[in-house]
C-alpha cells in the first residue's frame, strides 16, 4: 500500500518534468486542493536594505508540502499553472495569504514590506488586476509585486496600462530575474517599475568571478540611471554580501542571509536582527 502511495506521489511529481496532460491535470487539482487544505503555505525570505543595514522587506514564496510526496518545489508546478490557466487562482490565494501574514507580522512588531511573485501573463488579465487591487486595498503602499517572465506578456499595451494602475495604487513594481533571458531592455524603458532584481546567476559567484562583478556593477549603474533600486538575489555568503554592497546594490537577499521562513520563524529572525542592530558587513575580499 505504501509502495503504491509512493508510486502515485512520484507520478504526481513527474508531471512537472514530463508534461503529460492527464498527470498535469492531476497536479493542478492537487495544487488547488493544497491551497484549501493548508498543504500549501507561504514562506518569507528576508530582504536586507543595504543602505540601512536592516531587514525591511521579505519575499513570499509558496511552499507545498504534500503528505505523501513531501516538498514539491514551485519549479514543479508554477509553469504548469501558468500554461493551464490556474495561476490566477494560486496567485489570488497567495495575495490573500500575504495580506493576512503581513498583518500578523505588524502585530508582532514588524511592519515590513512584503513582495509577492506575479506571473507576467496575469498582468494582461484585467479581472485579475481588479481583484488583486481590491485584495491589497489597505496595504498597497507596503506591497511589492515581483513580475516574472515579462517577455510572455502577449498584449504589451494592456500590460502597461494595467501595470500603471497597479503602480498608481501605490504597489512597488519589481522586475524579477533580470538578465535571465525572458526580461528585456525594451520593458525597462516602458514599465513603471521601481526595482530591478538581478538574477541570481550573476550574483552567486561575485566573490570569484571578475566578469560577474562587472555585470553586477553595470546593472547597478543601469538601474540607478533609470531611477530603480537594484536587488541582488542569491547572495550565498558573507563574501558575496560585502561585494554586492561595495558594488552599489541597494538590497540583498539569499541563503547567506536567510532561507525562506514560515511566519513564526521570520518573526524570531527579525526580532534577533533588530536586537543585534544594523548588519555590519565584513571587508570585501575578491579572487581576481
Ligand atoms: P524567484 O521569485 O526568483 O524566487 C527566488 C528563488 O530563489 C526562490 O526559489 C528562493 O528559494 C531561491 N533562493 C533564494 N536565495 C537563494 C540562494 O542564495 N541560492 C539559491 N540557489 N537559491 C536561492 P523557489 O522558492 O524555489 O521559487 C522559484 C520560483 O518560483 C520563484 O523565483 C518564482 O518565480 C516562483 N514562485 C515561487 N512562489 C511563487 C508564488 O507564490 N507565485 C508565483 N507566481 N510564483 C512563485
Ligand atoms: Mg521573486
Ligand atoms: Mg528572482
Ligand atoms: Mg527566479
Amino acid at each position: 500500500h505504501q509502495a503504491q502511495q509512493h508510486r502515485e506521489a512520484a507520478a504526481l511529481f513527474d508531471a512537472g518534468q514530463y508534461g503529460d496532460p492527464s498527470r498535469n491535470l492531476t497536479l493542478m487539482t492537487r495544487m488547488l486542493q493544497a491551497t484549501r487544505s493548508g498543504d500549501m503555505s507561504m514562506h518569507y525570505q528576508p530582504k536586507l536594505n543595504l543602505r540601512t543595514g536592516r531587514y525591511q522587506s521579505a519575499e513570499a514564496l509558496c511552499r507545498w508540502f504534500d503528505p505523501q510526496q513531501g516538498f514539491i518545489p514551485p519549479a514543479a508546478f508554477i509553469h504548469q499553472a501558468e500554461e493551464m490557466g490556474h495561476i490566477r487562482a494560486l496567485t489570488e490565494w497567495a495575495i490573500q495569504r500575504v495580506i493576512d501574514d503581513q498583518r500578523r507580522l505588524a502585530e508582532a512588531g514588524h511592519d515590513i514590506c512584503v513582495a509577492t511573485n506575479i506571473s507576467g501573463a496575469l498582468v494582461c488579465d484585467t479581472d485579475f488586476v481588479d481583484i488583486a487591487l481590491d485584495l491589497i486595498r489597505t496595504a498597497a503602499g507596503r506591497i511589492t509585486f515581483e513580475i516574472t517572465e515579462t517577455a510572455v506578456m502577449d498584449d504589451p499595451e494592456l500590460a502597461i496600462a494595467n501595470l500603471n494602475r497597479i503602480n498608481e495604487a501605490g504597489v512597488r513594481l519589481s522586475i524579477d530575474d533580470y538578465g535571465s533571458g525572458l526580461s528585456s531592455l525594451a520593458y525597462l524603458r516602458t514599465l513603471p517599475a521601481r526595482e530591478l532584481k538581478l538574477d541570481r546567476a550573476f550574483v552567486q559567484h561575485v566573490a570569484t568571478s571578475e566578469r560577474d562583478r562587472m555585470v553586477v556593477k553595470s546593472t547597478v549603474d543601469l538601474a540607478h540611471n533609470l531611477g530603480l533600486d537594484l536587488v541582488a538575489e542569491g547572495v550565498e555568503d558573507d563574501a558575496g554580501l560585502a561585494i554586492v554592497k561595495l558594488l552599489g546594490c541597494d538590497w540583498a537577499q539569499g541563503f547567506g542571509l536567510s532561507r525562506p521562513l514560515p511566519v513564526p520563524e521570520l518573526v524570531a529572525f527579525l526580532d534577533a536582527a533588530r536586537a543585534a542592530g544594523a548588519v555590519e558587513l565584513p571587508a570585501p575580499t575578491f579572487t581576481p
Side-chain angles (χ1 to χ4, degrees), residues 148 176-177 199-200 233:
T148 50
D176 207 350
D177 302 333
D199 194 73
R200 67 167 182 262
E233 66 171 24

Side-chain angles (χ1 to χ4, degrees), residues 122-134 162 165-166:
L122 279 180
V123 168
C124 296
D125 180 342
T126 300
D127 288 342
F128 164 77
V129 173
D130 289 340
I131 289 169
L133 288 180
D134 193 46
N162 281 334
R165 284 173 60 210
I166 294 169

Side-chain angles (χ1 to χ4, degrees), residues 59 117 146 148 176-178 197-200 233 253:
E59 177 177 8
N117 289 287
E146 296 190 3
T148 50
D176 207 350
D177 302 333
Y178 184 70
K197 282 190 97 170
L198 184 58
D199 194 73
R200 67 167 182 262
E233 66 171 24
Q253 182 184 350

Side-chain angles (χ1 to χ4, degrees), residues 256-270:
L257 294 160
S258 172
R259 299 245 159 202
L261 304 169
V263 169
E265 287 175 43
L266 178 68
V267 169
F269 179 89
L270 294 173

Side-chain angles (χ1 to χ4, degrees), residues 203-207 232 234-247 252 285:
V203 175
Q204 273 166 323
H205 310 292
V206 280
V235 173
E236 295 191 340
D237 49 37
D238 277 357
L241 179 61
I243 293 166
V244 298
K245 157 95 177 162
L246 179 79
L247 296 175
T285 49

Side-chain angles (χ1 to χ4, degrees), residues 30-204:
R30 299 282 297 269
M31 179 192 80
L32 295 173
Q33 272 167 4
T35 63
R36 292 186 286 266
S37 69
D39 289 344
M40 186 80 74
S41 68
M42 268 301 178
H43 284 198
Y44 295 86
Q45 187 174 38
K47 290 167 84 168
L48 179 67
N49 182 329
L50 291 169
R51 284 181 252 147
T52 62
R54 300 192 188 264
Y55 291 95
Q56 290 173 314
S57 185
E59 177 177 8
L61 295 158
C62 63
R63 291 292 175 260
W64 180 3
F65 288 98
D66 184 76
Q68 283 109 49
Q69 173 65 30
F71 177 55
I72 304 177
F77 60 90
I78 295 287
H79 176 72
Q80 288 80 349
E82 287 171 348
E83 292 287 302
M84 298 179 74
H86 295 295
I87 194 66
R88 179 170 159 184
L90 181 70
T91 307
E92 288 173 8
W93 168 86
I95 293 172
Q96 188 59 63
R97 277 307 294 259
V98 162
I99 296 299
D100 293 347
D101 288 342
Q102 193 172 40
R103 192 176 309 122
R104 218 163 288 149
L105 285 165
E107 283 164 9
H110 298 286
D111 194 6
I112 62 166
C113 298
V114 180
T116 186
N117 289 287
I118 308 284
S119 304
L122 279 180
V123 168
C124 296
D125 180 342
T126 300
D127 288 342
F128 164 77
V129 173
D130 289 340
I131 289 169
L133 288 180
D134 193 46
L135 285 173
I136 62 166
R137 207 170 47 249
T138 56
R142 288 175 305 115
I143 295 284
T144 297
F145 282 174
E146 296 190 3
I147 310 290
T148 50
E149 302 191 51
T150 46
V152 303
M153 288 176 187
D154 39 59
D155 185 344
E157 267 178 47
L158 180 61
I160 288 166
N162 281 334
L163 287 169
N164 282 328
R165 284 173 60 210
I166 294 169
N167 180 51
E168 280 153 23
V171 175
R172 183 183 167 84
L173 285 171
S174 173
I175 299 173
D176 207 350
D177 302 333
Y178 184 70
S180 66
L182 289 165
S183 54
S184 94
L185 277 171
Y187 286 102
L188 269 191
R189 293 162 44 234
T190 41
L191 297 187
R194 288 193 256 168
E195 176 183 293
L196 201 60
K197 282 190 97 170
L198 184 58
D199 194 73
R200 67 167 182 262
F202 304 105
V203 175
Q204 273 166 323

